Amino acid sequence: MSLKYMILGCLTEVPIHGYDMLRVIFRDFAEQGPEVNSGQLYTLLNRLEAEGLVEREVVQQDKAPNRKLITITPQGREEFYQWLRSDAAEREYIRYDFFHRYGFLYKVNHFNKMSREERLDKVDQQLAQMEEKLANLESAWTDMSQRGKDPYRILILEYGIEAQKTKIQWLKRLREAVSSAAALDSDESQ
Amino acid sequence: MSLKYMILGCLTEVPIHGYDMLRVIFRDFAEQGPEVNSGQLYTLLNRLEAEGLVEREVVQQDKAPNRKLITITPQGREEFYQWLRSDAAEREYIRYDFFHRYGFLYKVNHFNKMSREERLDKVDQQLAQMEEKLANLESAWTDMSQRGKDPYRILILEYGIEAQKTKIQWLKRLREAVSSAAALDSDESQ
DNA sequence: CCGATCATGTAACGGGTTACATGATTTC
DNA sequence: GAAATCATGTAACCCGTTACATGATCGG
């Protein structure tokens, strides 16, 4: 379970309440803010509390709905640091992981079953999407470096940007291949 | 469900039996052959058969365990082509997907909680793993192009190789940052 | 007053993993 | 005769998603 350690890691830095965590953690994974997956968060939080890794305290707010401030317990902190130092989650057994979960690539795998127009269409759409995403990442970078965030976190974002650029460059090559080659119109495989 | 379409896609090209599919499909995702996730395959296959998308026929083999040859039905083929042409599975809503599921990156996010030695250690390990993986991908490429496979499939592999190189380059930059900078030893975050 | 946002939750489902069971055949 | 590989399967579990429910407060 990876979210568990995201939560604990987040809490090692500052106590926070659930809704804010949703915005902080999930905002970055799904494009827009909440209502994204409150489901998982609150149920996990229940479990973590039962396990004694976090504590929740109701904070009365006048003129606003009550919040529950979540703090990490010493055991929680302990477990997070142990995980952090272990080599858990660092190994990737998956050889073709770039392929895994990237539906578009899987469809390229079956391009020989599509017409040239269909291929071009798909590639162009993908390119547009990926370029938009790159722009997003880049503006996030500007934002982050202006706010003087932890340099490691900026570096992480820079990895994301590089990876995205690599993807785009490859998509352009793919586009070339689709648009130019009759030789690529092979039908058999294997 | 993505595996469903991997199976159907595989079957549009050639009838195959379950165990072979395990080797073909899963070999590429988990490093070594079966016994990897036979669980999912056979249960899914049951469902696909019940839905009339595939058919199974027992093939008696003397001097070997019986196999069940799986063929795709016209409905199965139909459904696969529809999926292929739709834009299903092509959109990525996840902004920081490069971060998602890449445990190592998440730990870099918490590098400020580790000593310089621990950081270097982690980075070096990761580098070694990623370089090994690159070598694997490259030998797979040699293999594939010698066997004259579908050019699109070779292109896909080339994307994997490029992505892996990007990762490695970044890891080297990260290593630099860790080994050289005292300035990076910031403690606060936010 | 209505809709948006803040804030917390439950229930059902679904895909995927792990672990286990079975049994044959080939190789050492 | 033991271990490895071929071949098919079941059951339990876990993580995550979807969909829904509740209720308060704020802006128009």
Side-chain angles (χ1 to χ4, degrees):
Chain A
M1 182 200 312
S2 177
L3 181 62
K4 173 177 171 180
Y5 293 103
M6 284 205 191
I7 290 174
L8 291 179
C10 176
L11 289 171
T12 58
E13 297 182 355
V14 62
I16 193 174
H17 63 97
Y19 192 74
D20 262 13
M21 215 186 287
L22 275 179
R23 294 194 307 191
V24 171
I25 295 183
F26 288 107
R27 204 243 345 248
D28 298 342
F29 293 106
E31 211 67 346
Q32 58 279 76
E35 211 47 34
V36 196
N37 228 357
S38 56
Q40 204 193 347
L41 216 223
Y42 289 109
T43 40
L44 224 188
L45 243 24
N46 284 338
R47 218 196 73 200
L48 295 182
E49 195 176 29
E51 289 174 4
L53 303 178
V54 306
E55 272 167 3
R56 279 186 287 186
E57 180 198 358
V58 178
V59 176
Q60 220 80 15
Q61 295 186 118
D62 38 74
K63 310 240 175 191
N66 291 343
R67 301 178 310 169
K68 290 188 182 176
L69 197 70
I70 309 152
T71 46
I72 192 167
T73 64
Q75 299 102 285
R77 206 172 280 272
E78 179 57 29
E79 191 169 327
F80 176 73
Y81 282 123
Q82 244 179 300
W83 174 82
L84 184 62
R85 277 167 178 80
S86 78
D87 62 0
E90 283 173 40
R91 220 160 277 191
E92 293 187 62
Y93 300 100
I94 305 169
R95 169 148 54 165
Y96 289 172
D97 66 330
F98 62 93
F99 189 59
H100 203 45
R101 305 265 175 196
Y102 184 15
F104 174 76
L105 269 196
Y106 185 63
K107 293 193 179 183
V108 175
N109 199 44
H110 290 281
F111 260 16
N112 57 15
K113 296 165 188 67
M114 278 191 248
S115 74
R116 194 166 160 281
E117 286 70 40
E118 286 171 317
R119 293 174 200 173
L120 274 179
D121 227 58
K122 283 223 177 292
V123 176
D124 284 336
Q125 258 178 267
Q126 190 67 15
L127 253 172
Q129 268 179 55
M130 293 302 114
E131 249 148 11
E132 195 193 325
K133 193 165 160 183
L134 177 61
N136 279 339
L137 289 172
E138 277 170 339
S139 82
W141 182 87
T142 310
D143 223 62
M144 233 194 207
S145 30
Q146 274 171 359
R147 287 204 267 140
K149 283 240 191 184
D150 178 315
Y152 287 119
R153 297 183 188 186
I154 295 176
L155 266 171
I156 289 172
L157 191 49
E158 285 169 2
Y159 168 65
I161 290 170
E162 289 310 307
Q164 192 65 10
K165 283 181 180 167
T166 302
K167 195 180 267 188
I168 288 170
Q169 267 185 294
W170 179 80
L171 284 169
K172 285 179 178 165
R173 263 185 70 206
L174 176 64
R175 201 191 184 285
E176 271 308 293
V178 172
S179 72
S180 71
L184 277 170
D185 271 55
S186 76
D187 235 44
E188 84 278 82
S189 44
Q190 218 231 111
Chain B
M1 183 198 315
S2 177
L3 181 63
K4 171 177 172 179
Y5 294 102
M6 285 204 189
I7 290 174
L8 290 179
C10 177
L11 290 170
T12 57
E13 298 182 354
V14 62
I16 192 174
H17 63 98
Y19 192 75
D20 261 12
M21 214 187 286
L22 275 179
R23 293 195 307 193
V24 170
I25 295 183
F26 288 106
R27 203 245 343 247
D28 297 341
F29 293 106
E31 210 68 346
Q32 58 280 78
E35 213 42 36
V36 197
N37 229 357
S38 57
Q40 205 192 347
L41 217 224
Y42 289 110
T43 39
L44 224 187
L45 244 25
N46 284 339
R47 219 196 71 200
L48 294 182
E49 194 176 30
E51 288 174 6
L53 305 177
V54 305
E55 271 167 4
R56 280 185 287 186
E57 180 198 358
V58 178
V59 177
Q60 221 79 15
Q61 297 187 115
D62 39 73
K63 311 241 174 192
N66 292 343
R67 303 178 308 170
K68 291 187 181 175
L69 197 70
I70 308 152
T71 47
I72 193 167
T73 64
Q75 299 103 285
R77 206 173 280 272
E78 179 57 28
E79 191 170 327
F80 177 73
Y81 282 123
Q82 244 179 299
W83 174 81
L84 184 62
R85 278 168 177 79
S86 79
D87 62 359
E90 283 173 39
R91 220 160 276 191
E92 294 187 61
Y93 300 100
I94 304 169
R95 169 149 54 164
Y96 290 173
D97 67 330
F98 63 93
F99 189 58
H100 203 48
R101 305 262 176 198
Y102 184 16
F104 174 75
L105 269 196
Y106 185 63
K107 293 194 178 182
V108 175
N109 199 44
H110 289 280
F111 260 16
N112 58 14
K113 296 166 189 66
M114 278 190 248
S115 73
R116 194 166 160 282
E117 287 70 41
E118 286 170 318
R119 294 174 200 173
L120 275 179
D121 226 60
K122 284 224 177 292
V123 176
D124 285 336
Q125 259 177 267
Q126 190 67 14
L127 254 171
Q129 269 179 54
M130 294 303 114
E131 250 146 11
E132 195 192 325
K133 193 165 159 182
L134 177 61
N136 280 339
L137 289 171
E138 277 170 340
S139 82
W141 182 86
T142 309
D143 224 62
M144 235 193 205
S145 30
Q146 274 172 359
R147 287 203 268 141
K149 284 241 190 184
D150 178 313
Y152 285 119
R153 297 184 187 186
I154 294 176
L155 266 171
I156 289 173
L157 192 48
E158 284 169 3
Y159 168 65
I161 290 170
E162 288 310 307
Q164 193 65 10
K165 282 181 180 166
T166 302
K167 195 180 265 190
I168 288 170
Q169 267 185 295
W170 180 80
L171 283 168
K172 284 179 179 166
R173 263 184 71 206
L174 176 64
R175 202 192 184 285
E176 271 308 292
V178 172
S179 72
S180 71
L184 277 171
D185 271 56
S186 76
D187 234 43
E188 83 278 84
S189 39
Q190 211 236 119

